[in-house]
Structure formats: structure tokens, C-alpha cells
Amino acid sequence: MTRHSLLLASAALLCAAPAFAADPDLLVFDWAGFEEEGLFATYKEKHGDAPTYSFYGDDDEAFQKVASGFKADVAHPCSQMVGKYRDAGLIEPWDVSKIPEFANIDPKFLDSPVFKDDAGVWYIPSDWGVTAIAYNTEEVPVEDVASLQVFLDPKYEGRVSIPDSSDDVWALAYLATGVTDWTDITDDQFAAAAEWLRKAHVNVRSYWADPAEMSQLMASGEVLVAWSWNDGVAYLQDDGFPVGFQRETTEGSSTWFCGFVNFKDGPGSEDKVYDFVNSWMRPEAGPALVDAIGYGHANTTAMDLVDAETLTTAGLTEISAPILAQTPNSTAQREKQLAEFEKIKAGF
């Protein structure tokens, strides 16, 4: 059985078993698919078991669960969510003196007072990736994916999938309407992006909930074009599926990064929280991350261990096209986008 097939089986099981039970002294609240042993290898060596995981498929879903009282020790939100966790008083600063590899995190991932201020370091950036067009190279001509307007092309009605993720969907819509910086969106820009999304909705067969679902939709032939993260493409590549990953459309593509927050009053061991994060941040975790999921590592020393060919295959190299970076934006703007996206999905 291939890794892709195993992941699909695991994804199906998540519906019945939302937690991966192991070490009872550490509960990691994480995206499905990140329970890769290469990432927590030194933790397991030290403690004899993997952490216990509870999974989610969407950042907003995860925040609502924690805000409603769910208790975990550490979570793995993407950068746009850190401010919400801080504002809600759910997290505490990290003691970076306990994280030796903190010094090797690429500074660009910490360049925000949301992450680091006089009160301390609130976020440990760990991984990054891109969102771009995945497409069936045997069915979709390369010229069709030269522009993000392929998502509106009547030729692909019912053969398109985009994420059930407000951030990625609005990154797509803003790029498609000529916006590459979402930190200062005007009412007109928002309206234009919303109108574009409503047109795209007509072509959407499914809003995928996780990369395993996206890759399954493409592998079945139901979907020919998708707005995808690196890992969905990696799973298809592993199965020998004819998949392309177009990051250099006329309008560009998007980048994002995620990392770890430390919950106040977590139910488990604080020492084990640091052991887990230190396993994740060690240089050897870089190749393990790229190989297993197709994402880049925030530790520059870790990325130095990954060869150029692997980076190219994973879609982690520099490009010559516009980029919308999914960095922290206004909480009010995110909430406005989230509400509008729910309307669009419902057909309004």
C-alpha cells in the first residue's frame, strides 16, 4: 500500500477516531497528516512513545474548539490565527532558552509583533508551503492553467475543487482580481474578490476538507483542476499520477506558514511540550518533513539538508510570478471573509 493509500485510509478513520492515543502526558492538537514519526523521532526516543494527537482540518474550526473549552498542550495554527489565540488569552509565551534551534529560524517568519514583542515570543514557526494550481497533465493543457481564470472556465464546470479554507480561498480570489497584499483590503477589492468567488463556485465540484480528499478527487478523475497545497500534490506524485503544480500563473500563487503555540494550563507535561517542539525544530526534521508531506521547514539549517531536486519536485523553489503571502491580517477582515465565504458556499 502506498503512503497516499495509507493516508486516505487514515483520513477515513479520523471520522471515527479524532485522536491518535499514545503518550498521555502530551496532547498535540494538529492538522491531520502531521503525525509523522520523523518529526517527533527524538521525543519518542526519549519517552518511548509518540505524543497523543487530536486532529483538525481547518484553522477556524480548531480555534473554536479550543475557545469552547477543549484542552490541549500545544497546537499548530498558521500565522493568521496567532493573534486570535493571543487576544482570547489562550496561549502563553515560549521560553526560547529551552529551544536551541530557535536561533536558526528564518527571521522572516518572526517579523511581526503578533509573534514576538516585549512580552515574549508567542509563536514558533515550523513549516511553510504554497497554494497553487494542481492539475491533471493528461487532461488539462498547460496553457489552460497559465491563468487563475481557469477556475471560471466553463470547460471545467463540475471538474474543479478548491479548499474549504477561508484563508486559501480568499488568497485565490484576491490574486485572481489583481491583489497581492491582503493586509490593507479596500471595500472595492473585497467586493471584486467576492464576485469572482461566486463565479468560481459555479464550477466547483467539491470544497476539499484536507489534502487526502483533494488528491482522491483528482485520482478518481472527478476533478481536473484544484487549488492545492504541496502535500496533496506530493501524495499524487507518490502514486505516479500525472499531476502538475502551476505556481507561476499570470496572477501568481500564494504562500503561508504555520507553527506552534503553547496553551496556558495545558493538561500534560510542560517539559514534554518542549521535547516535542525541539524534535520538530531539529535540522534532521527538515528532510523528514519535505519527504513525508512536501512542506518546507522554518529552520534554515534544516532546509540546507534538502537537495535542490527534492525542493523543485516539492514546489518549494523561488518563482518569477506574483505572490500573496498569507501573513497576519486584520481579525475583523478575516471574520468578514469567513462570513462571506459561508454565504458563497451556500449559493448566496
Side-chain angles (χ1 to χ4, degrees):
M1 184 179 282
T2 65
R3 187 177 72 212
H4 173 238
S5 301
L6 284 169
L7 189 81
L8 293 179
S10 298
L13 287 173
L14 286 178
C15 297
F20 174 75
D23 188 336
D25 293 329
L26 182 67
L27 179 56
V28 178
F29 195 31
D30 211 337
W31 299 88
F34 274 96
E35 65 282 14
E36 288 286 341
E37 186 165 336
L39 300 174
F40 59 78
T42 59
Y43 180 95
K44 187 174 182 179
E45 289 170 11
K46 182 173 181 178
H47 299 292
D49 209 344
T52 292
Y53 282 87
S54 183
F55 299 111
Y56 57 87
D58 174 80
D59 256 331
D60 290 289
E61 165 206 330
F63 175 81
Q64 290 302 326
K65 186 171 181 177
V66 174
S68 299
F70 176 74
K71 293 292 186 181
D73 297 300
V74 63
H76 189 184
C78 292
S79 65
Q80 309 91 288
M81 296 298 296
V82 179
K84 290 189 71 171
Y85 282 100
R86 284 192 63 176
D87 291 346
L90 294 168
I91 61 175
E92 62 187 14
W94 290 94
D95 181 351
V96 296
S97 70
K98 296 180 179 179
I99 306 174
E101 290 296 330
F102 179 79
N104 292 323
I105 294 175
D106 191 325
K108 70 184 179 184
F109 295 124
L110 286 163
D111 187 20
S112 169
V114 175
F115 308 146
K116 183 174 66 171
D117 61 13
D118 292 341
V121 174
W122 299 85
Y123 193 48
I124 303 298
S126 57
D127 54 290
W128 59 273
V130 305
T131 315
I133 299 177
Y135 65 102
N136 183 324
T137 57
E138 292 184 350
E139 301 287 340
V140 179
V142 66
E143 56 268 24
D144 283 9
V145 292
S147 167
L148 296 179
Q149 306 313 317
V150 67
F151 289 101
L152 308 187
D153 191 334
K155 183 195 309 185
Y156 298 106
E157 183 175 351
R159 310 299 298 277
V160 163
S161 185
I162 59 180
D164 192 6
S165 161
S166 179
D167 289 324
D168 282 296
V169 162
W170 286 96
L172 169 61
Y174 287 134
L175 280 166
T177 53
V179 175
T180 56
D181 180 357
W182 71 3
T183 60
D184 187 22
I185 295 295
T186 67
D187 289 343
D188 286 346
Q189 289 171 329
F190 176 79
E195 180 183 1
W196 189 92
L197 278 179
R198 286 185 165 84
K199 292 177 181 177
H201 176 75
V202 174
N203 280 2
V204 172
R205 184 180 189 87
S206 174
Y207 289 93
W208 57 263
D210 61 62
E213 180 185 358
M214 190 285 296
S215 57
Q216 186 178 42
L217 286 165
M218 289 199 72
S220 71
E222 296 176 64
V223 163
L224 298 178
V225 178
W227 189 235
S228 174
W229 303 332
N230 308 65
D231 46 352
V233 173
Y235 304 145
L236 289 165
Q237 289 172 339
D238 279 357
D239 277 356
F241 185 82
V243 61
F245 197 36
Q246 171 59 287
R247 298 172 58 205
E248 296 186 285
T249 68
T250 302
E251 303 90 347
S253 55
S254 185
T255 62
W256 44 263
F257 64 96
C258 306
F260 292 103
V261 292
N262 191 4
F263 287 121
K264 289 181 179 177
D265 305 318
S269 163
E270 187 72 357
D271 288 340
K272 288 186 175 182
V273 166
Y274 282 90
D275 289 339
F276 172 75
V277 168
N278 281 326
S279 181
W280 238 99
M281 298 309 297
R282 75 194 197 285
E284 294 78 12
L289 177 65
V290 177
D291 178 63
I293 310 177
Y295 294 160
H297 204 289
N299 184 337
T300 56
T301 305
M303 289 303 286
D304 287 343
L305 300 180
V306 184
D307 65 85
E309 182 179 354
T310 299
L311 293 175
T312 299
T313 301
L316 297 173
T317 52
E318 297 289 331
I319 63 170
S320 299
I323 292 174
L324 187 150
Q326 295 185 35
T327 53
N329 54 356
S330 157
T331 298
Q333 183 66 33
R334 285 196 78 257
E335 294 302 317
K336 182 179 178 181
Q337 291 169 180
L338 185 60
E340 192 72 9
F341 181 42
E342 292 302 316
K343 291 180 185 177
I344 292 167
K345 286 190 295 180
F348 297 106

